[in-house]
Amino acid sequence: MNIDDVAIFTVAAGAGSLSEAARRLGLTPMIATRRLASLERSLGVRLMHRTTRSLSLTPEGESFLPYAQALIETEQQARALLREEDEGAAGLLRVSAPVAFAIKVIAPLIPSLLDANPELRVSLDMSDSMPDLVSSGTDLAIRIARLKDSSLIARKLADTGRSLVASPAYLEKHGTPHSAGELAYHNCLPLCGVTHWTFLKAGVERSLRLRSRFSSTSIEGCHAACLAGAGIALLSDWNVADDLSSGRLMRVTLEDAEPETLAIWAVYPTSRLVPPKVRVFIDALLSALTEMKRSAR
C-alpha cells in the first residue's frame, strides 16, 4: 500500500472531490484518479463512489478512513522527527484567521517567517467564521472568541483586551456615555447577529442589549463605520492602537462596567501531530504578540 495513494484518499474524502484533492496535493486530476484506483486494487475493495460531479465513501471507505488518516499522520510525524532542526519548516501551511487580525498581526510577520524557512509556503484564509478544518485542509485556525465547541483541539496563545471606541465627531454630536445604562441609548456597531455585548462589573458578567442600526459580517466593517462616525464599536486593543494614538478614535470608558477580555486561540484539526510548519508559525505569532504587548505598555 503506497502512502501517496493513501494521501489522495484522505484528502479527497475531506474535500469531497478528486479534482480538489489533486489541486491541494499539486497533482493532475488524472494522476489522482490513478492513485486512488491503485489503492483500491491493493486493498481489494472499492473505497469511493465517484461520478463527474460527486464523490462519496462506500461503507468500506468509511471504515478505512480513520486508519488512513492515522497512517498519514504517523508518516508525517516520522518525517518531522528525521528532519534536521536547522533545515526549518517546509511545505504548504494553510492558516485561517479573522480578517482584522490577519491584516494587522499575521501578514506583517510573513516576510521574516518565509525568509527563515525557504521551503515554507503559506496560504492565509481571512475569514471571521470558523472553517471545517478537516474538510478544508486547514492546518491551523486562529480565533479570538469564547470557544463553544469542546471537541476542538485548541491552545491559548494570549489574552486580548477590548475597548469601546468612537470617533471624535460622533462623541461631539451625541455625547460620551459614562455608564452602561447610557450606552444603551447610543448607536452601537456590532457584528451581524450580535444583540448583546458582555461587560464585567466587579468580576460579574453583565450582558447589555444593543441599540444598533448598522451591523457587519466582519469586524473590519464595524471598525470602518466607527472611524466614519457611525457610532460606538467594541474592538480589540491591538486593532485600534494606531487609531487611538493618532486621535482618529477615542476610548469610551464606563464607570460601572468594562468590556470582557477574550483569548486568542490556535485551533488544530488533530492532537496526534503538530508539524514543524505549524510550530514555527506559532512561535513567530507568539513573538509578535509579545512585542505588541510590550509596545502597548
Short mmCIF file of all heavy atoms in Angstrom, two decimals, residues 2-15 17-36 39 48 72 75-76 91-92 94 121 134-139 277:
data_model
loop_
_atom_site.label_atom_id
_atom_site.label_comp_id
_atom_site.label_asym_id
_atom_site.label_seq_id
_atom_site.Cartn_x
_atom_site.Cartn_y
_atom_site.Cartn_z
N ASN A 2 0.74 2.08 -1.03
CA ASN A 2 1.57 3.27 -1.21
C ASN A 2 1.00 4.43 -0.39
O ASN A 2 -0.19 4.74 -0.48
CB ASN A 2 1.61 3.63 -2.70
CG ASN A 2 2.60 4.73 -3.01
OD1 ASN A 2 2.57 5.79 -2.38
ND2 ASN A 2 3.45 4.49 -4.00
N ILE A 3 1.86 5.07 0.41
CA ILE A 3 1.39 6.16 1.28
C ILE A 3 0.87 7.34 0.47
O ILE A 3 -0.05 8.05 0.90
CB ILE A 3 2.51 6.61 2.24
CG1 ILE A 3 1.94 7.45 3.38
CG2 ILE A 3 3.60 7.35 1.49
CD1 ILE A 3 1.09 6.70 4.33
N ASP A 4 1.41 7.56 -0.74
CA ASP A 4 0.91 8.64 -1.59
C ASP A 4 -0.51 8.35 -2.07
O ASP A 4 -1.32 9.27 -2.22
CB ASP A 4 1.84 8.83 -2.79
CG ASP A 4 3.20 9.39 -2.40
OD1 ASP A 4 3.26 10.08 -1.36
OD2 ASP A 4 4.18 9.14 -3.12
N ASP A 5 -0.80 7.06 -2.31
CA ASP A 5 -2.16 6.68 -2.70
C ASP A 5 -3.12 6.91 -1.54
O ASP A 5 -4.25 7.36 -1.74
CB ASP A 5 -2.19 5.21 -3.12
CG ASP A 5 -1.32 4.92 -4.33
OD1 ASP A 5 -0.92 5.90 -5.01
OD2 ASP A 5 -1.04 3.75 -4.59
N VAL A 6 -2.67 6.59 -0.33
CA VAL A 6 -3.50 6.80 0.86
C VAL A 6 -3.78 8.30 1.05
O VAL A 6 -4.88 8.69 1.43
CB VAL A 6 -2.81 6.22 2.11
CG1 VAL A 6 -3.63 6.50 3.37
CG2 VAL A 6 -2.62 4.71 1.96
N ALA A 7 -2.78 9.13 0.77
CA ALA A 7 -2.95 10.58 0.92
C ALA A 7 -4.04 11.10 -0.01
O ALA A 7 -4.86 11.95 0.39
CB ALA A 7 -1.63 11.29 0.64
N ILE A 8 -4.09 10.61 -1.24
CA ILE A 8 -5.15 11.02 -2.16
C ILE A 8 -6.51 10.68 -1.59
O ILE A 8 -7.46 11.50 -1.62
CB ILE A 8 -4.97 10.32 -3.53
CG1 ILE A 8 -3.86 11.01 -4.34
CG2 ILE A 8 -6.26 10.32 -4.32
CD1 ILE A 8 -4.25 12.40 -4.83
N PHE A 9 -6.65 9.50 -1.03
CA PHE A 9 -7.92 9.06 -0.47
C PHE A 9 -8.36 9.96 0.69
O PHE A 9 -9.51 10.41 0.74
CB PHE A 9 -7.81 7.61 -0.01
CG PHE A 9 -8.98 7.14 0.80
CD1 PHE A 9 -10.23 6.99 0.23
CD2 PHE A 9 -8.84 6.85 2.15
CE1 PHE A 9 -11.33 6.57 0.98
CE2 PHE A 9 -9.92 6.43 2.92
CZ PHE A 9 -11.16 6.27 2.33
N THR A 10 -7.46 10.25 1.63
CA THR A 10 -7.84 11.05 2.80
C THR A 10 -8.18 12.48 2.41
O THR A 10 -9.15 13.05 2.93
CB THR A 10 -6.71 11.05 3.84
OG1 THR A 10 -5.51 11.60 3.26
CG2 THR A 10 -6.43 9.64 4.36
N VAL A 11 -7.41 13.07 1.51
CA VAL A 11 -7.68 14.45 1.10
C VAL A 11 -8.98 14.52 0.30
O VAL A 11 -9.80 15.44 0.48
CB VAL A 11 -6.51 15.02 0.30
CG1 VAL A 11 -6.84 16.42 -0.21
CG2 VAL A 11 -5.25 15.08 1.16
N ALA A 12 -9.20 13.55 -0.57
CA ALA A 12 -10.44 13.53 -1.36
C ALA A 12 -11.66 13.35 -0.47
O ALA A 12 -12.71 13.97 -0.70
CB ALA A 12 -10.38 12.42 -2.41
N ALA A 13 -11.52 12.54 0.57
CA ALA A 13 -12.64 12.34 1.49
C ALA A 13 -13.00 13.64 2.20
O ALA A 13 -14.18 13.93 2.42
CB ALA A 13 -12.28 11.27 2.52
N GLY A 14 -11.99 14.44 2.55
CA GLY A 14 -12.26 15.71 3.20
C GLY A 14 -12.74 16.78 2.25
O GLY A 14 -13.61 17.60 2.59
N ALA A 15 -12.22 16.77 1.04
CA ALA A 15 -12.55 17.82 0.06
C ALA A 15 -13.86 17.53 -0.67
O ALA A 15 -14.48 18.44 -1.21
CB ALA A 15 -11.42 17.97 -0.95
N SER A 17 -14.05 15.84 -3.39
CA SER A 17 -13.82 15.83 -4.84
C SER A 17 -12.38 15.42 -5.12
O SER A 17 -11.46 15.86 -4.43
CB SER A 17 -14.13 17.19 -5.43
OG SER A 17 -13.17 17.68 -6.28
N LEU A 18 -12.20 14.60 -6.14
CA LEU A 18 -10.85 14.19 -6.52
C LEU A 18 -10.08 15.34 -7.16
O LEU A 18 -8.87 15.48 -6.95
CB LEU A 18 -10.92 13.01 -7.51
CG LEU A 18 -10.81 11.61 -6.91
CD1 LEU A 18 -11.00 10.56 -8.00
CD2 LEU A 18 -9.47 11.41 -6.21
N SER A 19 -10.76 16.17 -7.92
CA SER A 19 -10.07 17.29 -8.56
C SER A 19 -9.55 18.27 -7.52
O SER A 19 -8.45 18.81 -7.65
CB SER A 19 -11.00 18.01 -9.55
OG SER A 19 -12.14 18.50 -8.88
N GLU A 20 -10.34 18.52 -6.44
CA GLU A 20 -9.88 19.41 -5.38
C GLU A 20 -8.73 18.78 -4.61
O GLU A 20 -7.78 19.46 -4.22
CB GLU A 20 -11.05 19.73 -4.43
CG GLU A 20 -10.67 20.56 -3.21
CD GLU A 20 -10.09 21.91 -3.53
OE1 GLU A 20 -10.25 22.38 -4.68
OE2 GLU A 20 -9.45 22.52 -2.64
N ALA A 21 -8.80 17.45 -4.40
CA ALA A 21 -7.70 16.75 -3.73
C ALA A 21 -6.42 16.87 -4.57
O ALA A 21 -5.33 17.10 -4.02
CB ALA A 21 -8.06 15.28 -3.51
N ALA A 22 -6.55 16.72 -5.89
CA ALA A 22 -5.40 16.85 -6.77
C ALA A 22 -4.81 18.26 -6.68
O ALA A 22 -3.58 18.42 -6.61
CB ALA A 22 -5.80 16.53 -8.21
N ARG A 23 -5.69 19.27 -6.65
CA ARG A 23 -5.21 20.66 -6.57
C ARG A 23 -4.44 20.89 -5.27
O ARG A 23 -3.37 21.51 -5.28
CB ARG A 23 -6.39 21.62 -6.65
CG ARG A 23 -5.99 23.09 -6.74
CD ARG A 23 -7.19 24.00 -6.62
NE ARG A 23 -7.76 23.98 -5.29
CZ ARG A 23 -7.26 24.66 -4.26
NH1 ARG A 23 -6.17 25.40 -4.42
NH2 ARG A 23 -7.83 24.60 -3.08
N ARG A 24 -4.98 20.39 -4.15
CA ARG A 24 -4.32 20.60 -2.86
C ARG A 24 -2.97 19.90 -2.79
O ARG A 24 -2.05 20.38 -2.11
CB ARG A 24 -5.22 20.11 -1.73
CG ARG A 24 -6.49 20.92 -1.54
CD ARG A 24 -7.31 20.40 -0.37
NE ARG A 24 -8.58 21.12 -0.26
CZ ARG A 24 -9.49 20.87 0.68
NH1 ARG A 24 -9.28 19.91 1.57
NH2 ARG A 24 -10.60 21.57 0.72
N LEU A 25 -2.85 18.77 -3.48
CA LEU A 25 -1.60 18.00 -3.42
C LEU A 25 -0.65 18.32 -4.57
O LEU A 25 0.43 17.73 -4.66
CB LEU A 25 -1.92 16.50 -3.40
CG LEU A 25 -2.66 16.00 -2.14
CD1 LEU A 25 -3.08 14.55 -2.31
CD2 LEU A 25 -1.79 16.17 -0.91
N GLY A 26 -1.06 19.24 -5.44
CA GLY A 26 -0.19 19.63 -6.54
C GLY A 26 -0.08 18.59 -7.63
O GLY A 26 0.98 18.44 -8.27
N LEU A 27 -1.16 17.83 -7.89
CA LEU A 27 -1.17 16.77 -8.89
C LEU A 27 -2.19 17.10 -9.98
O LEU A 27 -3.03 17.98 -9.83
CB LEU A 27 -1.54 15.43 -8.25
CG LEU A 27 -0.70 14.96 -7.06
CD1 LEU A 27 -1.33 13.73 -6.43
CD2 LEU A 27 0.73 14.67 -7.50
N THR A 28 -2.12 16.34 -11.07
CA THR A 28 -3.15 16.45 -12.08
C THR A 28 -4.32 15.55 -11.67
O THR A 28 -4.13 14.55 -10.97
CB THR A 28 -2.64 16.00 -13.46
OG1 THR A 28 -2.32 14.60 -13.41
CG2 THR A 28 -1.40 16.80 -13.86
N PRO A 29 -5.54 15.88 -12.10
CA PRO A 29 -6.69 15.02 -11.78
C PRO A 29 -6.50 13.57 -12.24
O PRO A 29 -6.94 12.64 -11.58
CB PRO A 29 -7.85 15.70 -12.50
CG PRO A 29 -7.45 17.14 -12.55
CD PRO A 29 -5.96 17.12 -12.77
N MET A 30 -5.83 13.39 -13.38
CA MET A 30 -5.62 12.04 -13.90
C MET A 30 -4.74 11.22 -12.96
O MET A 30 -5.04 10.05 -12.67
CB MET A 30 -4.98 12.10 -15.30
CG MET A 30 -4.77 10.72 -15.92
SD MET A 30 -4.09 10.82 -17.59
CE MET A 30 -5.47 11.58 -18.44
N ILE A 31 -3.67 11.83 -12.46
CA ILE A 31 -2.78 11.11 -11.53
C ILE A 31 -3.52 10.79 -10.23
O ILE A 31 -3.37 9.70 -9.67
CB ILE A 31 -1.52 11.94 -11.25
CG1 ILE A 31 -0.64 12.00 -12.50
CG2 ILE A 31 -0.72 11.35 -10.08
CD1 ILE A 31 0.60 12.85 -12.36
N ALA A 32 -4.32 11.74 -9.76
CA ALA A 32 -5.08 11.50 -8.53
C ALA A 32 -6.03 10.32 -8.71
O ALA A 32 -6.15 9.46 -7.82
CB ALA A 32 -5.86 12.75 -8.15
N THR A 33 -6.70 10.24 -9.87
CA THR A 33 -7.62 9.14 -10.16
C THR A 33 -6.88 7.81 -10.20
O THR A 33 -7.34 6.80 -9.65
CB THR A 33 -8.34 9.38 -11.48
OG1 THR A 33 -9.07 10.61 -11.41
CG2 THR A 33 -9.30 8.25 -11.81
N ARG A 34 -5.70 7.81 -10.83
CA ARG A 34 -4.91 6.58 -10.92
C ARG A 34 -4.44 6.12 -9.55
O ARG A 34 -4.43 4.92 -9.25
CB ARG A 34 -3.71 6.81 -11.84
CG ARG A 34 -4.07 6.92 -13.32
CD ARG A 34 -2.85 7.26 -14.15
NE ARG A 34 -3.18 7.35 -15.58
CZ ARG A 34 -2.33 7.77 -16.50
NH1 ARG A 34 -1.10 8.14 -16.15
NH2 ARG A 34 -2.70 7.81 -17.76
N ARG A 35 -4.06 7.06 -8.69
CA ARG A 35 -3.56 6.69 -7.36
C ARG A 35 -4.68 6.11 -6.50
O ARG A 35 -4.48 5.16 -5.75
CB ARG A 35 -2.92 7.89 -6.68
CG ARG A 35 -1.55 8.23 -7.25
CD ARG A 35 -0.85 9.30 -6.43
NE ARG A 35 0.50 9.52 -6.93
CZ ARG A 35 1.33 10.44 -6.46
NH1 ARG A 35 0.93 11.25 -5.48
NH2 ARG A 35 2.54 10.58 -6.96
N LEU A 36 -5.87 6.70 -6.60
CA LEU A 36 -7.00 6.15 -5.85
C LEU A 36 -7.33 4.74 -6.35
O LEU A 36 -7.58 3.83 -5.55
CB LEU A 36 -8.22 7.05 -5.98
CG LEU A 36 -9.48 6.57 -5.27
CD1 LEU A 36 -9.23 6.39 -3.77
CD2 LEU A 36 -10.64 7.53 -5.49
N LEU A 39 -4.85 2.30 -4.96
CA LEU A 39 -5.11 1.96 -3.56
C LEU A 39 -6.25 0.95 -3.46
O LEU A 39 -6.18 -0.01 -2.68
CB LEU A 39 -5.46 3.24 -2.79
CG LEU A 39 -5.83 3.04 -1.31
CD1 LEU A 39 -4.67 2.45 -0.53
CD2 LEU A 39 -6.26 4.37 -0.70
N MET A 48 -14.59 4.46 -2.81
CA MET A 48 -15.40 5.64 -3.11
C MET A 48 -16.30 5.41 -4.31
O MET A 48 -15.89 4.78 -5.28
CB MET A 48 -14.50 6.85 -3.42
CG MET A 48 -13.75 7.38 -2.21
SD MET A 48 -12.72 8.81 -2.65
CE MET A 48 -12.42 9.50 -1.01
N ILE A 72 -1.33 8.56 7.55
CA ILE A 72 -0.75 9.81 7.04
C ILE A 72 -0.10 10.59 8.18
O ILE A 72 1.01 11.12 8.04
CB ILE A 72 -1.83 10.66 6.33
CG1 ILE A 72 -2.34 9.94 5.09
CG2 ILE A 72 -1.27 12.03 5.97
CD1 ILE A 72 -1.29 9.66 4.05
N GLU A 75 3.13 8.98 9.26
CA GLU A 75 4.19 9.20 8.27
C GLU A 75 4.74 10.62 8.38
O GLU A 75 5.95 10.84 8.32
CB GLU A 75 3.61 8.96 6.87
CG GLU A 75 4.65 8.94 5.75
CD GLU A 75 4.74 10.27 5.02
OE1 GLU A 75 3.89 11.15 5.29
OE2 GLU A 75 5.65 10.43 4.19
N GLN A 76 3.85 11.60 8.58
CA GLN A 76 4.30 12.99 8.73
C GLN A 76 5.13 13.15 10.01
O GLN A 76 6.13 13.88 10.02
CB GLN A 76 3.08 13.91 8.77
CG GLN A 76 2.36 14.03 7.44
CD GLN A 76 1.10 14.85 7.55
OE1 GLN A 76 0.54 15.03 8.65
NE2 GLN A 76 0.60 15.35 6.43
N GLY A 91 6.90 22.91 3.13
CA GLY A 91 5.56 22.55 2.69
C GLY A 91 4.60 23.71 2.75
O GLY A 91 4.96 24.84 3.09
N LEU A 92 3.34 23.43 2.40
CA LEU A 92 2.30 24.45 2.37
C LEU A 92 1.57 24.48 3.71
O LEU A 92 1.03 23.46 4.16
CB LEU A 92 1.30 24.16 1.25
CG LEU A 92 0.08 25.08 1.17
CD1 LEU A 92 0.50 26.52 0.92
CD2 LEU A 92 -0.89 24.59 0.10
N ARG A 94 -1.59 25.98 5.61
CA ARG A 94 -2.89 26.61 5.41
C ARG A 94 -3.37 27.16 6.74
O ARG A 94 -3.62 26.40 7.67
CB ARG A 94 -3.90 25.61 4.84
CG ARG A 94 -3.53 25.07 3.47
CD ARG A 94 -4.58 24.07 2.99
NE ARG A 94 -4.23 23.48 1.71
CZ ARG A 94 -4.51 24.00 0.52
NH1 ARG A 94 -5.20 25.12 0.46
NH2 ARG A 94 -4.14 23.39 -0.58
N ARG A 121 5.68 27.51 2.43
CA ARG A 121 4.70 28.33 1.72
C ARG A 121 3.50 28.51 2.64
O ARG A 121 3.16 27.61 3.40
CB ARG A 121 4.26 27.66 0.41
CG ARG A 121 5.37 27.54 -0.63
CD ARG A 121 4.91 26.75 -1.84
NE ARG A 121 4.68 25.36 -1.51
CZ ARG A 121 3.61 24.66 -1.85
NH1 ARG A 121 2.63 25.25 -2.52
NH2 ARG A 121 3.49 23.39 -1.51
N VAL A 134 -10.88 19.91 8.83
CA VAL A 134 -10.53 18.69 8.12
C VAL A 134 -10.94 18.78 6.65
O VAL A 134 -10.12 18.56 5.75
CB VAL A 134 -11.19 17.47 8.79
CG1 VAL A 134 -10.92 16.20 7.97
CG2 VAL A 134 -10.67 17.28 10.20
N SER A 135 -12.20 19.13 6.39
CA SER A 135 -12.67 19.14 5.00
C SER A 135 -12.00 20.23 4.17
O SER A 135 -11.83 20.08 2.96
CB SER A 135 -14.19 19.32 4.95
OG SER A 135 -14.57 20.58 5.47
N SER A 136 -11.60 21.34 4.80
CA SER A 136 -10.95 22.43 4.07
C SER A 136 -9.44 22.24 3.95
O SER A 136 -8.78 23.00 3.25
CB SER A 136 -11.24 23.77 4.76
OG SER A 136 -10.64 23.80 6.05
N GLY A 137 -8.90 21.25 4.64
CA GLY A 137 -7.46 21.04 4.60
C GLY A 137 -6.67 22.08 5.37
O GLY A 137 -5.48 22.25 5.15
N THR A 138 -7.32 22.79 6.30
CA THR A 138 -6.67 23.84 7.09
C THR A 138 -5.78 23.22 8.17
O THR A 138 -6.22 22.34 8.91
CB THR A 138 -7.72 24.76 7.74
OG1 THR A 138 -8.54 25.31 6.71
CG2 THR A 138 -7.05 25.88 8.52
N ASP A 139 -4.54 23.68 8.26
CA ASP A 139 -3.61 23.17 9.27
C ASP A 139 -3.83 23.82 10.63
O ASP A 139 -3.60 23.20 11.67
CB ASP A 139 -2.16 23.42 8.83
CG ASP A 139 -1.80 22.70 7.55
OD1 ASP A 139 -1.78 21.46 7.57
OD2 ASP A 139 -1.56 23.37 6.54
N LYS A 277 5.91 23.02 10.40
CA LYS A 277 5.42 24.25 9.77
C LYS A 277 4.43 24.97 10.66
O LYS A 277 4.36 26.20 10.67
CB LYS A 277 4.80 23.94 8.41
CG LYS A 277 3.60 22.99 8.46
CD LYS A 277 3.11 22.65 7.06
CE LYS A 277 1.91 21.70 7.11
NZ LYS A 277 1.43 21.35 5.75
#
